[in-house]
């Protein structure tokens, strides 16, 4: 007999953008349909190279359902210093191959980069410690260069999101993440300017750029930083417990639910260790998806230069359990979420 879904997992498949396109609505409908009964596997792409997917496949025989990308190297203060990025192209290919796409943005500060080695270089310009850019000052003065540069940078990323929209790719869009921690410049001046920036970005991307392929994933990590239900589709939490701590993270799951009075999907938008599916079921902490961070959370480089799975955070046997568990969904189990008319014309 089919088990009735607990009330906390009943989420209406609507998006905050009233003009959301068919692809975004189709993906949101699927997420709502499985929320509370299945958990999507996920993996973040590496910045310089991306061996994670093939290593996961080598160990488990499966690929994750969700692939995480980053617009970091499309930031104008990085591209003007020679940074290059192909994440948009890889994401389009991933979607066309049957996977789900999520993007974050390690937004390099638009200006005022300290640029001092070893840990304040322009390459670390998304960190508060590596820039003197003042978000509150910029937002208080719309006529200023700083404010205009905020718009310039958002417009640069909107170009990439438009490429994804033109290719029929709905995006789990997770900007301005982990703000309440203060380690990123967009959170360095407190909750008020951060919320204003979130609303400014939402308005510009939705109403000016007509980006209707976005599902807005808020990941501020504290209720005081929540911009409001009308600006958020999904709530994400980033969690990095101790190595081999396979607990469900129930406390964090419940805390994320408390940010809103509505039922919204809760996702484990970044993780180091993979939680145990049986614990998630027992504790009713059923994250919509996970997205394991890249690098040492997945692999190690051996003496001969070959990369192999690392059990440093999640043991090999636990990874296999996670990918094989009836609770979790891997890429091969996903339904066809693509717009076939769009595919046939591309």
């Amino acid at each position: 007999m089919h088990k009735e879904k607990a009330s906390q997992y009943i989420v209406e498949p609507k998006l905050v953008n009233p003009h959301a396109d068919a692809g975004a609505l189709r993906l949101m409908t699927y997420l709502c349909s499985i929320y509370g009964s299945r958990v999507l596997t996920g993996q973040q792409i590496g910045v310089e190279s991306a061996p994670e997917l093939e290593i996961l496949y080598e160990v488990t025989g499966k690929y994750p359902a969700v692939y995480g990308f980053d617009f970091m190297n499309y930031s104008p203060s990085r591209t003007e210093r020679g940074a290059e990025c192909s994440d948009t192209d890889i994401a389009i290919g991933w979607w066309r191959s049957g996977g789900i796409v999520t993007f974050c943005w390690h937004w390099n500060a638009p200006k005022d980069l300290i640029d001092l080695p070893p840990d304040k270089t322009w390459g670390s310009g998304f960190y508060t410690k590596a820039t003197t850019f003042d978000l509150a000052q910029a937002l208080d003065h719309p006529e200023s260069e700083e404010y205009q540069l905020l718009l310039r940078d958002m417009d640069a990323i909107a170009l990439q999101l438009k490429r994804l929209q033109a290719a029929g790719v709905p995006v789990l869009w997770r900007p301005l993440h982990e703000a309440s921690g203060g380690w990123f410049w967009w959170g360095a001046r407190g909750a008020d300017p951060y919320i204003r920036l979130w609303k400014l970005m939402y308005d510009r991307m939705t109403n000016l750029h007509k980006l209707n392929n976005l599902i807005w994933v808020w990941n501020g990590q504290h209720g005081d930083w929540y911009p409001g239900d009308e600006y958020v589709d999904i709530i994400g939490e980033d969690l990095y417990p101790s190595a081999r701590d396979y607990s469900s993270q129930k406390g964090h799951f419940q805390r994320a639910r408390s940010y809103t009075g509505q039922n919204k999907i809760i996702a484990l938008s970044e993780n180091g260790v993979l939680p145990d599916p049986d614990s998630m079921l027992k504790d009713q902490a059923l994250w919509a998806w996970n997205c394991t961070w890249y690098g040492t959370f997945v692999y190690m480089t051996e003496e001969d230069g070959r990369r192999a799975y690392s059990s440093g955070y999640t043991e090999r046997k636990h990874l296999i359990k996670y990918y094989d568990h009836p609770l979790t969904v891997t890429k091969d189990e996903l339904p066809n979420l693509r717009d076939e008319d769009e595919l046939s014309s591309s």
Side-chain angles (χ1 to χ4, degrees), residues 176-210:
L176 306 177
H177 63 295
E178 300 177 10
S180 64
W183 44 78
F184 297 133
W185 63 263
W186 52 85
R189 299 296 172 179
D192 179 69
Y194 167 77
I195 291 171
R196 289 163 63 194
L197 181 63
W198 179 279
K199 292 179 179 179
L200 175 64
M201 179 183 289
Y202 175 84
D203 177 69
R204 194 164 186 85
M205 290 190 167
T206 303
N207 298 317
L208 176 66
H209 289 296
K210 310 297 183 187

Side-chain angles (χ1 to χ4, degrees), residues 29 73 78 81 88-89 93 109 130 141 143 180-181 209 225 231 261 291 314 343:
T29 299
N73 281 325
R78 295 176 80 92
R81 289 168 168 83
T88 301
D89 303 280
H141 297 89
E143 76 289 348
S180 64
H209 289 296
W225 298 63
Y231 296 97
C291 195
T314 299
L343 282 176

Side-chain angles (χ1 to χ4, degrees), residues 4 66 72 85 88 118 126 137 144 175 182 184 224 232 234 259 297:
E4 187 174 346
V66 179
M72 178 174 70
C85 194
T88 301
F126 43 86
Q137 182 76 5
S144 67
F184 297 133
D224 291 347
V232 173
I234 291 173
Y259 299 151
F297 293 106

Side-chain angles (χ1 to χ4, degrees), residues 259-276:
Y259 299 151
T260 171
Q262 296 185 1
N263 273 7
K264 292 205 182 260
I265 287 176
I266 309 297
L268 185 55
S269 42
E270 286 183 28
N271 64 278
V273 181
L274 284 168
D276 179 58

Side-chain angles (χ1 to χ4, degrees), residues 134-153:
D134 189 328
L135 175 61
Q137 182 76 5
L139 291 174
D140 285 343
H141 297 89
E143 76 289 348
S144 67
E145 177 193 15
E146 287 76 10
Y147 185 88
Q148 296 305 314
L149 289 175
L150 287 174
L151 301 184
R152 175 204 67 176
D153 285 15

Side-chain angles (χ1 to χ4, degrees), residues 8-26:
Q8 72 183 54
Y9 298 112
I10 298 173
V11 179
E12 193 174 353
K14 290 174 61 178
L15 294 171
V16 291
N17 175 6
H19 304 291
D21 66 23
L25 288 168
R26 189 181 303 114

Side-chain angles (χ1 to χ4, degrees), residues 47-343:
V47 175
E48 296 177 354
S49 62
E52 289 84 3
L53 286 191
E54 294 312 316
I55 288 171
L56 290 174
Y57 187 80
E58 179 183 301
V59 175
T60 69
K62 299 175 181 180
Y63 290 110
V66 179
Y67 202 2
F69 301 90
D70 195 337
F71 286 127
M72 178 174 70
N73 281 325
Y74 294 109
S75 301
S77 68
R78 295 176 80 92
T79 59
E80 66 191 18
R81 289 168 168 83
E84 298 179 349
C85 194
S86 56
D87 280 35
T88 301
D89 303 280
I90 300 170
I92 291 171
W94 179 256
W95 171 255
R96 287 178 171 168
S97 75
I100 295 171
V101 168
T102 183
F103 263 94
C104 66
W105 179 20
H106 282 87
W107 183 353
N108 238 52
K111 61 173 296 194
D112 301 328
L113 300 175
I114 295 172
D115 209 5
L116 287 174
D119 61 348
K120 297 180 181 180
T121 63
W122 66 264
S124 300
F126 43 86
Y127 284 124
T128 300
K129 66 183 180 183
T131 179
T132 60
F133 188 82
D134 189 328
L135 175 61
Q137 182 76 5
L139 291 174
D140 285 343
H141 297 89
E143 76 289 348
S144 67
E145 177 193 15
E146 287 76 10
Y147 185 88
Q148 296 305 314
L149 289 175
L150 287 174
L151 301 184
R152 175 204 67 176
D153 285 15
M154 284 188 268
D155 292 349
I157 301 309
L159 284 176
Q160 300 303 319
L161 290 166
K162 285 178 181 179
R163 290 183 59 206
L164 290 156
Q165 182 167 252
V169 184
V171 178
L172 296 168
W173 171 227
R174 185 175 66 98
L176 306 177
H177 63 295
E178 300 177 10
S180 64
W183 44 78
F184 297 133
W185 63 263
W186 52 85
R189 299 296 172 179
D192 179 69
Y194 167 77
I195 291 171
R196 289 163 63 194
L197 181 63
W198 179 279
K199 292 179 179 179
L200 175 64
M201 179 183 289
Y202 175 84
D203 177 69
R204 194 164 186 85
M205 290 190 167
T206 303
N207 298 317
L208 176 66
H209 289 296
K210 310 297 183 187
L211 286 163
N212 298 324
N213 61 324
L214 307 182
I215 296 174
W216 288 78
V217 181
W218 176 80
N219 183 206
Q221 310 246 121
H222 192 286
D224 291 347
W225 298 63
Y226 189 62
D229 289 329
E230 66 271 35
Y231 296 97
V232 173
D233 292 307
I234 291 173
I235 294 171
E237 285 283 289
D238 294 355
L239 299 175
Y240 290 90
S242 301
R244 303 185 181 184
D245 174 357
Y246 304 133
S247 59
S248 69
Q249 302 299 322
K250 176 182 179 180
H252 290 282
F253 183 84
Q254 295 299 340
R255 189 183 73 171
R257 289 190 64 229
S258 75
Y259 299 151
T260 171
Q262 296 185 1
N263 273 7
K264 292 205 182 260
I265 287 176
I266 309 297
L268 185 55
S269 42
E270 286 183 28
N271 64 278
V273 181
L274 284 168
D276 179 58
D278 292 322
S279 295
M280 292 164 67
L281 285 164
K282 177 178 177 290
D283 294 340
Q284 280 299 290
L286 298 169
W287 307 91
W289 71 84
N290 82 278
C291 195
T292 305
W293 206 244
Y294 60 88
T296 54
F297 293 106
V298 180
Y299 70 87
M300 60 183 176
T301 303
E302 298 183 329
E303 289 184 4
D304 60 2
R306 192 173 64 88
R307 289 164 170 166
Y309 184 73
S310 169
S311 289
Y313 289 89
T314 299
E315 293 165 283
R316 188 184 191 95
K317 64 181 181 181
H318 185 75
L319 174 71
I320 294 170
K321 175 183 178 179
Y322 192 83
Y323 271 68
D324 282 350
H325 201 279
L327 177 68
T328 60
V329 179
T330 49
K331 187 186 180 191
D332 58 295
E333 296 178 272
L334 289 173
N336 180 8
L337 297 166
R338 293 165 291 167
D339 183 339
E340 294 300 330
D341 292 335
E342 178 69 30
L343 282 176

